[in-house]
Amino acid sequence: MQKSAWAVLLLLVLGNIGAWAIVNRPAVERPWAGTIAGVAFVPFQANQTPQNGDSPTADDIKRDLDVVAPHVQSIRTYQVGNGIDQVAPIALERYPNLTITQGAWLSKDPAANEAELAGLVRVARANANVKRVMVGNEVLFRDDFSVAQLIDYIQRVKRQVNVPVSTAEPSYVWLDHPELADACDFITIHLLPYWNKVSVDRAVEDAMAAYRQVQERFPNKHILIGETGWPSDGAYRGAAEAGLVNEAKYIRSFLNIAGQQRLDFYIMEAFDQPWKRTLGGTAETAWGIWDAHRHQKFPMVGGILEVPSWRVLCAIATALAFFPMFFFVLARDDLKWRGQLFYGFLIQTVASVLVWTGTQALTVGMGTLSFTAFMVLILAQLILFAVMLIDGLELTEVVWTQRWKRRYTPVREPLGDYTPKVSIHVPCYNEPAHMVIETLDALAAMDYPNFEVLVIDNNTKDEAVWRPLEEYCAKLGPRFRFFHLPRWPGFKGGALNFGLSVTAPDVEVVGVIDSDYQVTPDWLSATIPYFKRPEVGFVQSPQDYRDWSDDAFKSMINWEYQGFFHIGMIQRNERNAIIQHGTMTLVRKSALDGVGRWAEWCICEDSELGLRLFEEKLEAVYMPDSFGQGLVPDSFAGYKTQRFRWAYGAVQILKRHWREMMPGGTKLTAGQKYHFITGWLPWFADAAHMGFVIGGIVWSLGLLLLPQWIEFPPTVFILPTLSVFFFKVLCGLWLYGERVKCRFIDKLGAAIAGMALTHTVGRAVWVGLFTSGRPFVRTPKCEDQPALIQGFLHAREEVGLMLGLWLAAAAIALLKGSDNRDAYVWATMLVVQSFPYIAALFLSTLNALPKSGGAEATAPAE
């Protein structure tokens, strides 16, 4: 292994560790070394949910008190039901100096309220450590009942206990209802600037301003801060950002000020409470000083890490990426070191992002519905990252390969004695006669001395369409034979198999071209010599096109085609794994007969034949030189029909040959398996895109209609997904810049054209997965230009999904985005997902716009 490879590996590992360290630099905030006056104490465990009737056991409470008591002077509870009435007696026994503010939970249920008040009185009378009681918590804030009703409850309790009595509300409630303050022995306010959309940098100042406002209004009342704190996780609310560093920053700053001013307070709260997710989303779960597993989330002294376990995560990400990077760099000494570094960086980045998003997205207490949805999203992200790595490898090999192993060029030497007979098969179905005649004229002009041409017209009903071809073949002489098959099964494959049955017995090579292709005179003379090598099964030239330069629509799809034939096919040829396509192909006849001829069950009989030839250990020769030009589809509908056929056929082939694609398959090489799987994987990603679009719309409805059950996906999940989309676009532009000689506007047009087919390909994959007998549909040629409304209708499905995404994005942004950055990120995600549909509408509309010079400008000559 070269020294440069070791240097690349070392650089990648150190770079990854350095990136994790930079992102996770500790924040230095004001320390706190004293005892905390009080914390809200809710001893439900990570797996307990009071809505389901769960209650903490006595042992649970003992363990939680053992965690909290050494650090605080007092605790506050919110109810006596669900086993919380055990807290005071257990605390009295274990920590007699720990004081308690006992609460009673009041709601709209009168019977439950009576039980809570009775329990409150009982606990307060029986336990000397209960120094204060709270009658209800934010009852008026929730609008559960009137001020008068709350005062009545308070006065009833005051008559039965010998400790101060109050209730807890936000500061504005006390200011609006001074009669409530008169009814209480002290005032309890909640100061939670996160909910007020205040930046953490001025949060303590905002909280203290609210405190002073109440203090000035009620100078003779003792004021208890019943809750204050900051969540370590949750949605953005205006300028308020949830996060562990921000939680530590707020609590440390508040504790210092509270200590200086001798404030009476309870930090919200002791432990994270996953069960609160259904009450208000992620933020409700994450206010604890300790997490749900009772681990302290941040230190009170020293630096604070947003992700305290980042070193472990970094180690996992490094380990996940190291062996793929190692074997890649070791095996790819044909790449320049910059290519090794680029792709190694890509592998490491994907591993790190997967580790990061997986740990950040899946939090404790996630509901079954959210957990299931997030699992689906992570699976989709895995597919997207796989496509990203595939695209990245293609880019790496195209840009940084320093020596190519299988580069073939046209043979320009004299033919000599090797001139095997070639039979050119031209299948037709309802094709314009003038177009096919031009194809035949080009074949007649070839400089190869030993060939025949079979024109096979299958299933054309109109005699006026096929009869001129029969007559023209007769004029061209005995080399040209015409066959009309009025009712013939097997689609194009069936017609080609008929052609094999009438091929001259001395033919050694069979060629196939589409009926619109005009070949160059040297097609056969420049390619047939490669058949001297007996291991060569077929020779393939690229599809190429003519009569597109004056039409913006046709220009875009022409350049989209060129990317595959001048980028993907060249890369695949390095591993003898090209896709055989059914025009400009030459096949050794003995090999064709040996593998069972053309498949009639598959609508992509050409690609399927190529795969069977590879399974017989034969080689393919691919040269990117153009030896013939056809016509691009005239309409967006035709363009979609063609790509649907290709994608549907690919699924058919995979369903038939999947065993050979598996690691245990012995007929294909590893490189061939790689290219056939990864070459079609992006089409499955398009199918996943369709599922994600529909799921995204449904999820958005859930966010609007069922917010207690459906929450926004974490930003750490969405941003990498958006990044993959833009990486693919940039990767495509880069590849075109390296291998396809065209203007930037042409590269951009090709990207738009390819994107416009996303829905078509995705639909074809889904249909192909669940059906098997889809009929062959030809791509029409020489069509009239569609009317504008017809052009719009050609993209109606895409337009429907586009509008659905836009409406969902607008609703989320308007109804959820006023104080939640996650809403805007999600809305952005929905809009980005609509780009393929915008591209489809654009391309379809462009196809239908009037052409300068009239319809005759691009019509083939008669």
Side-chain angles (χ1 to χ4, degrees):
M1 191 175 182
Q2 298 177 355
K3 291 181 179 179
S4 62
W6 286 109
V8 167
L9 281 171
L10 182 62
L11 186 61
L12 288 167
V13 171
L14 293 179
N16 178 61
I17 295 172
W20 278 85
I22 291 172
V23 171
N24 291 280
R25 287 173 294 179
V28 179
E29 301 295 340
R30 191 174 179 183
W32 169 258
T35 302
I36 300 173
V39 294
F41 185 82
V42 180
F44 290 103
Q45 306 301 296
N47 61 343
Q48 293 175 343
T49 304
Q51 292 99 324
N52 295 337
D54 297 337
S55 299
T57 66
D59 288 338
D60 292 334
I61 294 171
K62 290 175 184 178
R63 286 193 298 270
D64 284 354
L65 285 171
D66 290 342
V67 172
V68 170
H71 304 282
V72 304
Q73 300 170 6
S74 180
I75 60 175
R76 175 194 171 186
T77 64
Y78 290 84
Q79 63 180 135
V80 292
N82 290 104
I84 306 303
D85 58 344
Q86 301 177 83
V87 171
I90 293 173
L92 184 61
E93 178 184 351
R94 298 174 73 85
Y95 299 100
N97 294 326
L98 183 70
T99 63
I100 295 176
T101 296
Q102 180 68 48
W105 188 262
L106 300 183
S107 65
K108 294 182 179 180
D109 184 346
N113 291 343
E114 292 301 326
E116 277 287 305
L117 293 177
L120 176 66
V121 171
R122 173 175 52 80
V123 171
R125 287 177 171 177
N127 299 280
N129 56 347
V130 176
K131 302 300 182 181
R132 294 180 289 211
V133 296
M134 293 284 189
V135 180
N137 185 73
E138 297 186 346
V139 172
L140 301 182
F141 172 75
R142 296 192 305 271
D143 198 26
D144 282 353
F145 42 76
S146 67
V147 176
Q149 289 174 296
L150 178 58
I151 290 175
D152 180 63
Y153 281 132
I154 291 170
Q155 291 175 340
R156 286 172 53 191
V157 172
K158 287 177 68 173
R159 290 193 291 268
Q160 299 177 71
V161 300
N162 296 317
V163 293
V165 179
S166 183
T167 189
E169 294 286 350
S171 59
Y172 76 88
V173 173
W174 297 97
L175 297 174
D176 292 345
H177 300 286
E179 67 274 24
L180 181 63
D182 293 337
C184 295
D185 296 318
F186 60 97
I187 294 172
T188 305
I189 59 174
H190 289 172
L191 303 176
L192 302 169
Y194 169 79
W195 295 121
N196 296 335
K197 311 174 190 177
V198 177
S199 166
V200 72
D201 293 325
R202 61 182 188 88
V204 174
E205 177 185 346
D206 180 84
M208 294 312 300
Y211 177 86
R212 287 190 295 271
Q213 192 176 16
V214 176
Q215 187 181 48
E216 291 170 1
R217 181 69 178 275
F218 305 104
N220 298 320
K221 287 281 188 179
H222 176 72
I223 299 175
L224 168 66
I225 300 173
E227 290 179 359
T228 193
W230 197 271
S232 60
D233 194 11
Y236 273 74
R237 291 187 57 83
E241 179 183 0
L244 191 60
V245 169
N246 284 351
E247 179 185 19
K249 181 175 184 177
Y250 178 84
I251 289 177
R252 282 192 188 184
S253 299
F254 176 82
L255 289 174
N256 278 278
I257 290 176
Q260 293 169 4
Q261 300 186 17
R262 299 184 180 278
L263 300 179
D264 191 4
F265 65 89
Y266 289 99
I267 295 294
M268 174 70 183
E269 60 188 316
F271 309 114
D272 284 350
Q273 296 294 307
W275 62 271
K276 292 183 179 180
R277 185 180 296 272
T278 58
L279 301 180
T282 304
E284 289 284 4
T285 72
W287 293 78
I289 296 175
W290 291 269
D291 65 21
H293 302 294
R294 280 44 182 175
H295 302 133
Q296 189 168 341
K297 289 158 62 175
F298 57 87
M300 292 295 180
V301 177
I304 310 160
L305 295 169
E306 188 66 50
V307 183
S309 60
W310 75 265
R311 293 178 178 84
V312 175
L313 300 180
C314 176
I316 294 172
T318 303
L320 282 176
F322 180 78
F323 288 104
M325 288 192 307
F326 177 83
F327 288 113
F328 175 79
V329 174
L330 178 68
R332 298 311 303 270
D333 58 354
D334 60 317
L335 295 174
K336 299 174 183 177
W337 70 267
R338 291 185 295 276
Q340 295 173 333
L341 182 64
F342 172 81
Y343 198 68
F345 169 77
L346 206 59
I347 293 172
Q348 183 62 79
T349 300
V350 167
S352 294
V353 171
L354 284 174
V355 170
W356 182 271
T357 56
T359 55
Q360 294 295 303
L362 300 177
T363 57
V364 175
M366 185 175 292
T368 302
L369 185 61
S370 292
F371 179 81
T372 302
F374 282 7
M375 286 292 96
V376 172
L377 287 176
I378 288 176
L379 177 61
Q381 190 177 66
L382 286 171
I383 295 174
L384 288 175
F385 278 135
V387 172
M388 179 180 179
L389 289 172
I390 293 166
D391 289 345
L393 181 59
E394 183 177 54
L395 176 65
T396 301
E397 292 185 339
V398 167
V399 176
W400 288 293
T401 293
Q402 53 188 352
R403 59 181 183 276
W404 294 89
K405 302 173 184 176
R406 288 171 50 88
R407 278 295 180 93
Y408 299 105
T409 57
V411 177
R412 300 304 183 192
E413 300 173 357
L415 288 172
D417 295 334
Y418 185 73
T419 57
K421 189 168 185 177
V422 180
S423 182
I424 309 298
H425 296 179
V426 185
C428 300
Y429 167 61
N430 204 36
E431 302 291 2
H434 70 266
M435 180 189 76
V436 183
I437 287 171
E438 290 178 345
T439 297
L440 299 179
D441 285 340
L443 289 170
M446 289 192 300
D447 59 15
Y448 191 78
N450 193 13
F451 72 93
E452 68 172 4
V453 176
L454 308 185
V455 180
I456 309 159
D457 182 87
N458 64 311
N459 300 308
T460 301
K461 297 178 180 179
D462 188 351
E463 184 175 349
V465 173
W466 61 264
R467 186 66 72 180
L469 298 179
E470 183 181 46
E471 295 171 355
Y472 198 75
C473 284
K475 291 180 182 179
L476 290 173
R479 277 187 172 180
F480 289 77
R481 292 187 284 160
F482 180 86
F483 301 90
H484 174 63
L485 310 177
R487 288 189 176 181
W488 200 258
F491 314 121
K492 182 180 177 181
L496 291 174
N497 283 334
F498 171 83
L500 289 174
S501 69
V502 295
T503 294
D506 58 341
V507 163
E508 296 183 38
V509 177
V510 173
V512 178
I513 65 169
D514 286 345
S515 58
D516 60 319
Y517 264 74
Q518 297 178 13
V519 301
T520 60
D522 64 339
W523 174 37
L524 297 183
S525 60
T527 55
I528 288 298
Y530 281 105
F531 284 101
K532 288 181 180 179
R533 294 171 52 217
E535 61 269 25
V536 172
F538 66 101
V539 175
Q540 184 71 61
S541 308
Q543 293 179 204
D544 198 6
Y545 300 94
R546 66 183 188 277
D547 295 340
W548 50 264
S549 59
D550 295 330
D551 186 309
F553 165 75
K554 292 183 178 181
S555 177
M556 291 174 69
I557 62 177
N558 167 72
W559 290 116
E560 190 268 334
Y561 289 134
Q562 297 305 313
F564 175 73
F565 294 108
H566 292 281
I567 299 171
M569 286 283 274
I570 291 176
Q571 186 204 20
R572 297 177 72 109
N573 188 55
E574 283 294 288
R575 298 182 179 88
N576 191 35
I578 68 168
I579 293 287
Q580 185 182 26
H581 43 93
T583 190
M584 303 308 300
T585 188
L586 296 164
V587 189
R588 190 182 298 276
K589 186 175 185 299
S590 60
L592 183 53
D593 289 333
V595 297
R597 301 192 169 190
W598 301 94
E600 298 184 20
W601 57 268
C602 178
I603 64 174
C604 282
E605 73 295 323
D606 43 11
S607 300
E608 197 274 342
L609 174 66
L611 184 57
R612 280 186 285 135
L613 292 171
F614 286 137
E615 290 175 350
E616 294 300 317
K617 308 301 182 184
L618 294 169
E619 286 189 23
V621 169
Y622 178 77
M623 59 189 77
D625 304 80
S626 174
F627 293 104
Q629 294 180 325
L631 297 174
V632 296
D634 292 288
S635 68
F636 184 57
Y639 185 43
K640 290 171 61 177
T641 297
Q642 182 187 64
R643 197 58 56 94
F644 184 96
R645 183 175 74 245
W646 293 353
Y648 183 88
V651 179
Q652 285 184 304
I653 294 169
L654 283 172
K655 287 164 69 174
R656 177 68 67 97
H657 293 268
W658 67 269
R659 291 178 181 84
E660 287 304 321
M661 305 289 181
M662 295 296 101
T666 58
K667 294 182 178 181
L668 298 174
T669 66
Q672 289 168 341
K673 292 176 183 178
Y674 168 80
H675 278 295
F676 276 98
I677 292 173
T678 61
W680 286 326
L681 184 61
W683 288 356
F684 283 83
D686 288 343
H689 175 270
M690 181 186 293
F692 183 83
V693 165
I694 296 171
I697 294 172
V698 173
W699 199 326
S700 299
L701 291 174
L703 290 167
L704 297 170
L705 303 177
L706 300 169
Q708 70 274 28
W709 300 107
I710 307 295
E711 56 189 299
F712 287 105
T715 301
V716 294
F717 170 80
I718 295 176
L719 292 181
T721 304
L722 291 173
S723 300
V724 170
F725 173 83
F726 290 108
F727 173 84
K728 282 178 62 62
V729 173
L730 292 174
C731 187
L733 293 174
W734 193 347
L735 283 167
Y736 265 71
E738 292 288 333
R739 286 291 178 266
V740 182
K741 303 306 178 185
C742 60
R743 303 169 300 169
F744 178 79
I745 190 67
D746 297 323
K747 300 173 191 175
L748 192 61
I752 294 171
M755 196 183 301
L757 294 171
T758 299
H759 177 69
T760 297
V761 170
R763 188 164 61 86
V765 170
W766 284 115
V767 173
L769 287 172
F770 297 104
T771 66
S772 58
R774 193 85 175 192
F776 182 94
V777 180
R778 63 180 281 271
T779 304
K781 302 293 170 59
C782 298
E783 290 184 294
D784 292 331
Q785 181 185 355
L788 187 59
I789 186 63
Q790 186 179 4
F792 180 84
L793 291 175
H794 286 165
R796 58 186 177 275
E797 291 182 13
E798 291 90 335
V799 170
L801 289 170
M802 178 188 74
L803 293 177
L805 287 167
W806 286 2
L807 289 172
I812 291 294
L814 291 173
L815 300 177
K816 295 286 187 177
S818 61
D819 58 3
N820 189 346
R821 188 190 69 173
D822 289 346
Y824 290 115
V825 173
W826 178 252
T828 301
M829 180 74 166
L830 295 175
V831 172
V832 170
Q833 292 298 316
S834 75
F835 284 1
Y837 308 132
I838 299 172
L841 177 59
F842 172 79
L843 202 62
S844 182
T845 303
L846 181 66
N847 176 223
L849 290 176
K851 307 296 188 294
S852 59
E856 293 79 6
T858 58
E862 290 290 337

